[in-house]
Amino acid sequence: MEEDGLDDLLAQISEPTSPKKTKQDEQPGTSKSTSKTHCVLVNQKQRGNPLLKFIISVPWEYDEIIPDYEIGKTIGILFLSVRYYNLNPDYINNRLKDLGKKYDLRVLLVQVDLKDPHAALKNLTRICLLTDLTLMLAWSPEEAAKIIENYKIYENKPPDKIMEKIENDPHQKIVNALSSIKPVNKTDALTLIATFGTLENIIKATEKKLSECPGFGATKAKKLYRALHEPFLKNQMKPDVFAGNISIEDIESVENTAE
């Protein structure tokens, strides 16, 4: 991508393309109606896009909008495939000029349809960083449709609905801790708890005892035993290294030792 081309894009993106500002331009939304917030609005140019037949969890309809998909009044989504981007590298620049600064959340939904997409994705990531776009990747029309559906489903949901839930159940915490050790899965973790009863007994168990658990073998038992008994940090420092005031140099020394 040419540097000058991107500079021109950044220079123009803050202004709408239309020289006259109408009431409809002042608010994100359709050119015909600003009240169609119950469904996903789809640009007429998206007719024939395979992902449309997979949008089944939320209603959608065609309308005259600037982005390819519009969620409510605040989310605008541009759709692009890597293959199409390689054939038409200026396409996304022109779409962004049309989009201007509209919408609180602006999303570039990219379908990865090439075996080697790295160069294209690198350029697209750079564009997103410089133009305040959220980059979302999908590897099939089904995944792309699911992303659009989720934006609509969670449009008015509070953040805690999609935040990771913290488990307060001690039993579940042990399962999560054990299954974080490769190659132990959650079924293995439940087997260990059922066999040994407590985390303390699991830690005290010999490698041979661990290998006798259903679903375990010598290799898995060895890796689990090693993970439970090796120190997290090999301390090669003198015992009194932290006896006095701790400096930045001391912390960097600890980090370098750990690496």
Side-chain angles (χ1 to χ4, degrees):
M1 178 181 300
E2 296 293 335
E3 292 288 336
D4 293 342
L6 186 56
D7 290 340
D8 292 341
L9 169 63
L10 294 174
Q12 297 181 46
I13 197 172
S14 60
E15 297 295 336
T17 55
S18 174
K20 294 182 179 180
K21 198 171 186 179
T22 66
K23 291 182 179 180
Q24 293 165 347
D25 291 328
E26 293 175 356
Q27 295 181 1
T30 69
S31 59
K32 291 183 178 179
S33 172
T34 57
S35 61
K36 297 180 180 178
T37 59
H38 66 286
C39 63
V40 175
L41 298 183
V42 181
N43 193 309
Q44 297 282 355
K45 295 179 181 179
Q46 286 293 296
R47 288 184 181 274
N49 191 328
L51 75 79
L52 290 174
K53 65 182 179 181
F54 297 107
I55 300 181
I56 55 179
S57 298
V58 297
W60 63 270
E61 64 181 65
Y62 291 111
D63 208 329
E64 294 181 6
I65 56 175
I66 295 176
D68 293 316
Y69 302 92
E70 182 179 279
I71 311 294
K73 296 182 179 181
T74 59
I75 304 174
I77 301 175
L78 296 177
F79 177 82
L80 180 66
S81 74
V82 174
R83 186 185 302 274
Y84 189 85
Y85 171 74
N86 284 342
L87 294 174
N88 303 276
D90 291 331
Y91 170 79
I92 188 61
N93 295 355
N94 295 328
R95 294 300 307 280
L96 285 171
K97 290 175 186 177
D98 293 338
L99 192 65
K101 285 289 186 180
K102 295 178 176 66
Y103 302 98
D104 296 334
L105 177 60
R106 296 127 46 80
V107 179
L108 178 60
L109 175 56
V110 177
Q111 183 175 320
V112 182
D113 53 357
L114 290 179
K115 290 184 178 179
D116 186 15
H118 301 92
L121 291 179
K122 182 178 180 181
N123 287 336
L124 290 172
T125 299
R126 180 168 173 265
I127 290 174
C128 289
L129 289 172
L130 294 174
T131 58
D132 195 26
L133 282 172
T134 297
L135 179 63
M136 298 294 291
L137 302 182
W139 273 260
S140 68
E142 294 93 329
E143 286 188 14
K146 181 59 67 176
I147 290 172
I148 294 173
E149 286 183 339
N150 284 338
Y151 270 116
K152 184 59 182 176
I153 292 170
Y154 291 100
E155 176 189 6
N156 298 311
K157 303 290 185 184
D160 57 357
K161 291 291 184 181
I162 58 176
M163 291 175 63
E164 180 181 3
K165 292 181 172 55
I166 300 175
E167 296 287 352
N168 293 319
D169 179 16
H171 180 272
Q172 188 60 46
K173 288 183 178 180
I174 295 175
V175 171
N176 292 341
L178 290 172
S179 59
S180 67
I181 302 172
K182 292 184 178 180
V184 179
N185 56 41
K186 290 192 175 182
T187 301
D188 295 329
L190 292 171
T191 299
L192 289 169
I193 295 173
T195 303
F196 296 101
T198 65
L199 179 60
E200 181 180 4
N201 290 338
I202 296 173
I203 295 173
K204 289 182 177 180
T206 64
E207 192 174 317
K208 183 176 183 301
K209 285 288 187 182
L210 293 173
S211 67
E212 293 173 353
C213 288
F216 278 75
T219 301
K220 185 181 291 188
K222 183 176 182 179
K223 290 183 178 180
L224 173 59
Y225 184 86
R226 182 182 298 173
L228 293 174
H229 292 84
E230 281 190 349
F232 292 108
L233 177 64
K234 293 181 179 179
N235 189 353
Q236 299 176 353
M237 301 177 298
K238 296 179 181 180
D240 60 346
V241 66
F242 293 126
N245 294 329
I246 301 176
S247 65
I248 296 296
E249 289 76 12
D250 294 330
I251 297 174
E252 291 178 346
S253 176
V254 173
E255 292 176 344
N256 292 334
T257 301
E259 292 176 358

